[in-house]
């Protein structure tokens, strides 16, 4: 049997599946934000999650992180594969996935990781 991916690898794979390429600055910020939110879902996005996400880039600001994340999500959502997005995000009444806010995107994928934690190796 193949070894189980860790949470960082799993979220990287999900971001790529959703169309957020690793070359986008928002990709790294999103990955860190999702992993941080997974540890403590009660954290505030702007006061705690964005500052934690920018810790990976010296000199970055929370405004830059927020903008990079929003741009990455919007770009991926515009060229999305509906089947891939529907694996992680609920559809609206028309059967389409509405564009998630930064907070909704981060929280949803953190929840997904926590719901599937039994399939992840221990940290």
């Amino acid at each position: 049997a193949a070894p189980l991916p860790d949470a960082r690898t799993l979220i990287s794979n999900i971001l790529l599946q959703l169309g957020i390429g690793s070359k986008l600055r928002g990709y790294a910020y999103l990955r860190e934000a999702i992993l941080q939110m997974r540890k403590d879902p009660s954290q505030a996005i702007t006061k705690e999650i964005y500052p934690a996400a920018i810790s990976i880039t010296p000199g970055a600001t929370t405004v830059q992180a927020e903008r990079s994340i929003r741009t990455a999500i919007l770009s991926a959502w515009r060229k999305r594969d509906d089947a891939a997005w529907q694996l992680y995000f609920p559809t609206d009444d028309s059967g389409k996935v509405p564009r998630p806010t930064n907070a909704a995107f981060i929280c949803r994928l953190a929840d997904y990781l926590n719901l599937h934690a039994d399939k992840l190796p221990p940290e």
Side-chain angles (χ1 to χ4, degrees):
L4 295 171
D6 63 8
R8 180 174 296 278
T9 302
L10 182 59
I11 203 61
S12 295
N13 292 340
I14 291 170
L15 292 174
L16 292 170
Q17 181 183 14
L18 292 174
I20 298 175
S22 59
K23 288 186 169 54
L24 293 173
R25 185 177 304 172
Y27 168 90
Y29 292 144
L30 270 169
R31 186 175 59 196
E32 292 307 313
I34 292 163
L35 291 169
Q36 191 69 27
M37 179 61 80
R38 178 180 178 239
K39 290 178 189 167
D40 180 5
S42 68
Q43 297 178 85
I45 293 284
T46 53
K47 300 243 186 293
E48 296 169 290
I49 297 297
Y50 290 154
I54 64 170
S55 67
I56 60 171
T57 308
T61 67
T62 56
V63 171
Q64 290 169 326
E66 189 270 338
R67 185 180 305 125
S68 295
I69 287 171
R70 185 173 357 99
T71 301
I73 293 170
L74 182 59
S75 169
W77 184 81
R78 282 185 175 147
K79 61 183 183 206
R80 75 193 171 282
D81 170 357
D82 279 328
W85 278 71
Q86 288 173 7
L87 293 172
Y88 307 101
F89 297 94
T91 56
D92 62 14
D93 293 338
S94 70
K96 299 284 185 205
V97 175
R99 185 180 75 78
T101 62
N102 288 8
F105 189 93
I106 292 165
C107 291
R108 185 74 181 162
L109 292 183
D111 284 347
Y112 179 86
L113 282 181
N114 283 334
L115 288 171
H116 295 85
D118 59 326
K119 296 180 181 82
L120 295 170
E123 291 185 29

